Amino acid sequence: MSITPLMPVYPRCDVRPVRGENCHLVSEDGRRFLDFASGIAVNLLGHSHPGLIGAIKKQAETLMHVSNMYGSPQGESLAQRLVDLTFADTVFFTNSGAEAVETAMKTARAYHQHDGNEDRYEIITFKNAFHGRTMATISASNQDKMHKGFMPLLPGFKYVEFNDLEGAKAAVGPHTAAIMVEPVQGEGGIRVADDAFIKGLRDLCDANDLMLIFDEVQCGVARTGTFYAYEQFGVEPDILATAKGIGGGFPMGACLATEKAARGMVFGTHGSTYGGNPLAMAAGEAVLDAVANDEFLAHVRTMGEKLRGRLEQFIGNYPDLFEDVRGMGLMMGVKMKVESRPFVAHLRDHHGLLTVAAGDNVIRILPPLVIEDAHIDEFMEKLSAGAADYTP
Ligand SMILES: *Cc1c(COP(=O)(O)O)cnc(C)c1O
């Protein structure tokens, strides 16, 4: 037998983390890394946050899991907090981002189909989007590399260029049910949507009775310096998918919706065995305790501005390597003029710095949101040293 016990779907590198210490990771072989990847925008409180650890420990000792057949004081409490903090009136808890997106898409279709209008099913999405790895969420993305080997895709999706409002308008037809967009594309290369594009999508949805879905799985939960990124576009969605940061490392996600948008999500239409279990809810509460306040969000914005300022100054020293700095808050990207993936590997293997490659030859910089000035200093030192001894 030559297949590995872990199904070999990831090209794993030889960093093998066994311990986390705030914003650093320690590998099996003792090497220490500055973690500006955060499990891809997940560990927003770093790796050893006492509040998060304490909440999970306490809940694990009290009650880990019960079925959704029973009443859920834990779920009601966290859902109420999310409703109070956002546009939403109601919340469905999931275990991952893809499931949150699936729930969002089902909610949008059910909005039209609950009273029998089965002609409305099409969802318009955008090129280079990433919505997850389930059959429906790969179908929602135009990326061939995710489709190969898994045909046929689910029907009912139309892909339009990101930031192309006219293209979106032209794609709306009698079967359109919803438009789904990442306000900041993550995997696609930290591409921030234009204000006018997002506002235009809102108007387009209003004019045609379409559901506007924001996929904030990566950009949500304080990452951009507001609780959700949509707040900075001056537009509210009807439905929003959130995950990654929301459990701070505990696997969970959620689909948020207005009362109107959720009109088709009635008894028996959807479910999840684990979704919203007491252990996950305890993690979610601890994350909100830490991040859902003005002081924390201001910290993210301050650190984001400092990091951006330093990066913008720095890239000028290497005009052959770097093109520009993009992003919002602590969701930053540096576009390279050469391939970004080998440079990310160089920083990791030779300078103890973890970042993430993204589409469009971008290095994604996704530090824990609890970083301080000293972490930015350490990051800039490692990045500078990495650029200085890099030959593409
Ligand atoms: C990561 C991601 C997903 C999928 O989340 P999983 O937890 O991996 O299923 C969906 N949408 C966006 C924008 C993401 O970044």
Side-chain angles (χ1 to χ4, degrees), residues 96-99 101 130-133 182 187 215 217-218 243-244:
S96 69
E99 284 171 277
V101 175
F130 182 81
H131 297 297
R133 294 291 200 150
E182 295 161 85
E187 307 293 319
D215 180 349
V217 169
Q218 191 159 153
K244 291 201 165 89

Side-chain angles (χ1 to χ4, degrees), residues 329-362:
L330 286 173
M331 184 172 184
M332 302 294 295
V334 176
K335 176 158 169 65
M336 297 196 70
K337 290 180 177 166
V338 296
E339 264 190 89
S340 66
R341 205 164 290 277
F343 185 64
V344 164
H346 172 77
L347 293 174
R348 178 188 72 220
D349 296 338
H350 301 287
H351 298 278
L353 175 60
L354 303 179
T355 57
V356 199
D360 204 21
N361 283 321
V362 163

Side-chain angles (χ1 to χ4, degrees), residues 115-374:
D115 55 9
N117 190 355
E118 288 177 10
D119 285 343
R120 301 283 291 271
Y121 53 82
E122 212 162 64
I123 301 176
I124 296 170
T125 62
F126 296 91
K127 294 192 180 165
N128 301 311
F130 182 81
H131 297 297
R133 294 291 200 150
T134 62
M135 280 308 306
T137 56
I138 62 172
S139 302
S141 171
N142 78 315
Q143 300 194 47
D144 291 340
K145 63 173 196 266
M146 294 198 294
H147 297 163
K148 199 174 170 294
F150 302 112
M151 306 306 273
L153 299 180
L154 239 67
F157 294 94
K158 262 191 188 168
Y159 318 118
V160 173
E161 284 300 333
F162 188 65
N163 272 332
D164 178 7
L165 183 59
E166 291 311 311
K169 280 184 188 163
V172 173
H175 299 301
T176 313
I179 299 178
M180 179 161 72
V181 65
E182 295 161 85
V184 184
Q185 284 194 337
E187 307 293 319
I190 311 291
R191 297 202 297 165
V192 181
D194 298 335
D195 275 3
F197 172 64
I198 294 289
K199 288 202 174 75
L201 291 182
R202 179 71 274 174
D203 293 342
L204 188 57
C205 287
D206 290 342
N208 296 279
D209 191 26
L210 309 177
M211 292 287 100
L212 180 60
I213 305 171
F214 286 166
D215 180 349
E216 292 219 24
V217 169
Q218 191 159 153
C219 64
V221 197
R223 175 60 54 188
T224 65
T226 47
F227 188 52
Y228 282 102
Y230 73 79
E231 297 166 45
Q232 294 178 63
F233 292 87
V235 158
E236 291 186 344
D238 302 295
I239 304 169
L240 179 147
T242 181
K244 291 201 165 89
I246 199 169
F250 194 92
M252 70 173 289
C255 174
L256 280 56
T258 63
E259 180 169 14
K260 181 184 170 190
R263 66 184 180 182
M265 300 302 277
V266 297
F267 290 151
T269 53
H270 197 47
S272 163
T273 297
Y274 291 129
N277 85 10
L279 194 54
M281 297 299 93
E285 294 270 6
V287 169
L288 291 199
D289 287 346
V291 311
N293 60 77
D294 291 342
E295 199 189 335
F296 189 89
L297 294 168
H299 173 79
V300 176
R301 291 193 294 271
T302 305
M303 289 296 132
E305 278 157 28
K306 283 186 182 175
L307 183 60
R308 176 188 283 273
R310 297 278 293 272
L311 283 169
E312 276 171 352
Q313 204 178 21
F314 160 78
I315 65 166
N317 302 333
Y318 296 93
D320 296 338
L321 279 185
F322 306 112
E323 191 166 312
D324 63 31
V325 179
R326 37 171 88 172
M328 279 163 73
L330 286 173
M331 184 172 184
M332 302 294 295
V334 176
K335 176 158 169 65
M336 297 196 70
K337 290 180 177 166
V338 296
E339 264 190 89
S340 66
R341 205 164 290 277
F343 185 64
V344 164
H346 172 77
L347 293 174
R348 178 188 72 220
D349 296 338
H350 301 287
H351 298 278
L353 175 60
L354 303 179
T355 57
V356 199
D360 204 21
N361 283 321
V362 163
I363 321 171
R364 256 183 297 177
I365 302 161
L366 302 165
L369 305 182
V370 294
I371 53 165
E372 298 292 345
D373 287 335

